Amino acid sequence: MADLVFFSGTMDCGKSTLALQMNHNHAARGRQGIIFARHDRAGASTISSRLGLRAEAIEVTDGFDFQLYVVQLLSAGGKVDYLICDEANFYTAEQVDQLARVVDELGIDVFTFGITTDFRTRLFPGSQRLLELADRVEVLQVEALCWCGARATHNARTVGGVMVVEGPQVVVGDVAVNEDEVGYEVLCRRHHRRRLTAATARAAALSPDVLPFEQT
Ligand SMILES: Nc1ncnc2c1ncn2[C@@H]1O[C@H](COP(=O)(O)OP(=O)(O)O)[C@@H](O)[C@H]1O
Ligand SMILES: Cc1cn([C@H]2C[C@H](O)[C@@H](COP(=O)(O)O)O2)c(=O)[nH]c1=O
């Protein structure tokens, strides 16, 4: 029986790498797959991993219909065994419903990959629908780490290393960016709540306010 699976985690925990590995393993056994992505950092119609792997993908736009696309392909005599869907957090809820129908009505495996929550800890629409519909939700085993060494569970958006909490939900970007650029940093919940990034923690540690002082 086909499955709808959601592989989730923070940014930078290896989701795109796993997506490309899964595609490789299935293709190596003669299975026919299609790769989809949306807003990949490397540009449109691409799936890229920080380990250097990259592949061509079909760019999912707002109006894109997964079910229609697959049905048309099958009607034209094509073979489809599985779909790899990266950056699924950016898909619409309706598109996730279409993916569920591809699984149930066409018997095609759908493997989706994405972050669950945004920089304000709110679910992305695509991720919310996947949590509601997936047969299985798998949290990636490779742990991204907060600067304190704890498992990172949240994504912070930063400007010049300082966490920001205002702005649009979608801003494509990366971890480890240059000063002044908008970027992201993964944090444990405790430090996300306190808005304490690596840079602000470092600055606080150097501040004279926190230097040891003698009690009177
Ligand atoms: N230079 C490196 N050496 C080893 N592993 C790396 C290196 N750079 C990145 N990685 C691994 O790649 C992971 C990020 O993979 P990626 O698929 O791009 O993540 P995601 O899609 O979840 O954002 C990191 O968590 C780390 O495990
Ligand atoms: C937290 C958060 C992230 N994004 C963007 C930033 C990246 O382009 C992607 C995540 O990609 P990854 O492969 O998982 O690293 O999402 C965003 O637009 N809004 C956010 O709140």
Side-chain angles (χ1 to χ4, degrees):
M1 203 156 69
D3 275 335
L4 174 62
V5 189
F6 182 32
F7 294 94
S8 72
T10 59
M11 287 180 68
D12 199 27
C13 71
K15 301 178 300 299
S16 300
T17 306
L18 179 64
L20 288 161
Q21 286 175 315
M22 286 191 67
N23 180 57
H24 175 84
N25 289 352
H26 284 264
R29 292 299 183 198
R31 299 190 81 211
Q32 196 76 42
I34 313 175
I35 304 177
F36 298 91
R38 179 162 195 181
H39 299 323
D40 190 282
R41 288 180 310 277
S45 308
T46 308
I47 172 173
S48 69
S49 119
R50 292 180 182 83
L51 279 175
L53 294 170
R54 118 179 3 206
E56 255 185 55
I58 292 167
E59 183 74 12
V60 178
T61 53
D62 269 343
F64 185 82
D65 186 326
F66 283 99
Q67 198 181 14
L68 185 67
Y69 182 88
V70 175
V71 165
Q72 282 177 344
L73 221 149
L74 295 172
S75 310
K79 180 173 178 281
V80 185
D81 295 313
Y82 65 93
L83 308 185
I84 299 278
C85 299
D86 200 23
E87 309 287 353
N89 41 291
F90 293 141
Y91 299 0
T92 64
E94 170 55 24
Q95 284 168 336
V96 175
D97 280 80
Q98 292 159 11
L99 290 173
R101 290 199 289 273
V102 166
V103 174
D104 297 342
E105 292 165 26
L106 304 174
I108 292 170
D109 282 318
V110 175
F111 306 119
T112 66
F113 303 81
I115 53 178
T116 44
T117 53
D118 67 12
F119 70 113
R120 280 193 284 234
T121 74
R122 302 296 177 196
L123 289 169
F124 281 93
S127 312
Q128 178 182 340
R129 199 66 188 130
L130 278 163
L131 293 173
E132 289 163 351
L133 290 185
D135 293 297
R136 248 172 39 236
V137 176
E138 297 207 3
V139 177
L140 264 75
Q141 285 186 1
V142 178
E143 297 186 357
L145 300 180
C146 179
W147 58 265
C148 68
R151 180 175 194 153
T153 46
H154 291 77
N155 307 295
R157 182 178 292 163
T158 58
V159 178
V162 177
M163 182 167 154
V164 294
V165 290
E166 297 294 330
Q169 186 177 51
V170 178
V171 175
V172 174
D174 204 350
V175 291
V177 292
N178 294 324
E179 287 260 317
D180 298 334
E181 269 183 330
V182 176
Y184 291 93
E185 182 175 334
V186 293
L187 297 174
C188 65
R189 187 192 59 245
R190 184 170 290 109
H191 288 133
H192 195 282
R193 281 185 46 246
R194 293 178 187 163
R195 302 188 191 174
L196 214 46
T197 61
T200 49
R202 219 171 19 242
L206 291 174
S207 152
D209 295 346
V210 295
L211 287 177
F213 59 92
E214 296 211 357
Q215 299 247 322
T216 52

